[in-house]
Amino acid sequence: QVQLQESGAGLVKTSETLSLTCSVSGGSILNGAYYWSWIRQSPAGGLEWIGYIYYTGNTYYNPSLKTRITMSIDTSKNQFSLRLTSVTAADTAVYYCARCMTTVTDNWFDPWGQGTLVTVSS
Amino acid sequence: QPVLTQPPSASASLGASVTLTCTLSSGYSDYKVEWYQQRPGEGPRFVMRVGPGGTVGSKGGGIPDRFSVLGSGLNRYLTIKNIQEEDEGDYHCGTDHGSGSTFVYVFGSGTKVTVL
């Protein structure tokens, strides 16, 4: 079964860039049936979709974050990555990667990684 | 885009039933919703999907038959029968909207379920 694991810096300074990588095991990131997603959870508990990337490199970002986001994919390593620039305390969250199941009309996330806490501090 | 509203908390005694509600904003009564379970200290797990006519597709892996869904109007329900301690946690609903460059996925604020 497919498993996802996030990795990256747990502490980022204000105004700098957050960088995370998601490693996929048990399945190929080249499978065209899926998109590969980032979702974050604030300390208050709410979930926010950040965006997702297809194996071709096509990306779709949350409009509220799109000016600060870059996602990339490395098919040779079966990994995909997130960069979020100009971070503030509001970007402090647990960041999850997840596989997005996609049909013609629907999208949903299954499975998810265990998450990684990123704290933004000066 | 749609807004999803969830009550902050719900509780049930061990072995009883509890029904969680996710309410779509006006104008989105034909939308499907996904339910996700998040146990304490874990990442979310897909439970199942529900549309206005009820269940859509299959349950997530390992989700017991005690979990069922129902759709009515703007409301999407998740019922847990014979609730167990392992069912305690946060339950989030989500839905997608738009396509291509206008695509967005939105979540409700989550309901914390306590097993008494």
Side-chain angles (χ1 to χ4, degrees):
Chain A
Q1 65 188 33
V2 170
Q3 293 184 311
L4 296 91
Q5 176 68 59
E6 306 87 352
S7 60
L11 182 62
V12 182
K13 292 186 184 299
T14 302
S15 80
E16 296 191 348
T17 297
L18 176 160
S19 296
L20 297 173
T21 295
C22 182
S23 299
V24 179
S25 59
S28 174
I29 206 167
L30 287 168
N31 190 323
Y34 309 120
Y35 285 74
W36 303 94
S37 312
W38 290 98
I39 297 160
R40 67 183 183 180
Q41 185 169 33
S42 68
L47 293 167
E48 181 180 30
W49 175 73
I50 298 171
Y52 58 28
I53 187 166
Y54 199 49
Y55 77 95
T56 57
N58 286 355
T59 54
Y60 302 87
Y61 300 149
N62 188 323
S64 68
L65 296 168
K66 69 179 300 183
T67 60
R68 298 195 290 133
I69 302 172
T70 303
M71 291 185 186
S72 59
I73 196 161
D74 187 335
T75 56
S76 67
K77 294 182 178 179
N78 228 34
Q79 294 176 336
F80 61 104
S81 298
L82 168 70
R83 284 171 49 89
L84 180 66
T85 61
S86 304
V87 297
T88 70
D91 295 309
T92 293
V94 175
Y95 285 75
Y96 296 97
C97 55
R99 184 179 67 178
C100 183
M101 315 284 285
T102 302
T103 68
V104 173
T105 56
D106 301 311
N107 301 268
W108 68 100
F109 303 102
D110 182 32
W112 300 53
Q114 66 183 33
T116 187
L117 174 63
V118 178
T119 301
V120 178
S121 176
S122 56
Chain B
Q1 65 190 46
V3 174
L4 302 176
T5 301
Q6 297 182 255
S9 63
S11 62
S13 298
L14 186 67
S17 296
V18 66
T19 295
L20 310 181
T21 304
C22 176
T23 303
L24 290 148
S25 52
S26 178
Y28 296 99
S29 60
D30 60 336
Y31 273 51
K32 306 180 190 74
V33 152
E34 289 77 42
W35 284 99
Y36 301 92
Q37 176 195 59
Q38 185 174 24
R39 291 170 171 159
E42 299 183 3
R45 176 169 74 144
F46 170 70
V47 177
M48 58 200 308
R49 298 158 62 214
V50 53
T55 303
V56 178
S58 303
K59 291 179 182 176
I63 300 299
D65 291 341
R66 302 183 284 103
F67 287 74
S68 62
V69 293
L70 191 64
S72 177
L74 293 171
N75 292 323
R76 306 290 179 264
Y77 303 100
L78 175 69
T79 296
I80 310 172
K81 295 182 179 178
N82 185 25
I83 198 167
Q84 302 297 302
E85 290 182 358
E86 67 200 46
D87 300 328
E88 197 165 83
D90 296 322
Y91 288 78
H92 306 272
C93 60
T95 191
D96 62 12
H97 175 72
S99 61
S101 62
T102 65
F103 176 86
V104 66
Y105 194 96
V106 295
F107 292 93
S109 54
T111 296
K112 184 177 184 63
V113 171
T114 302
V115 179
L116 304 172

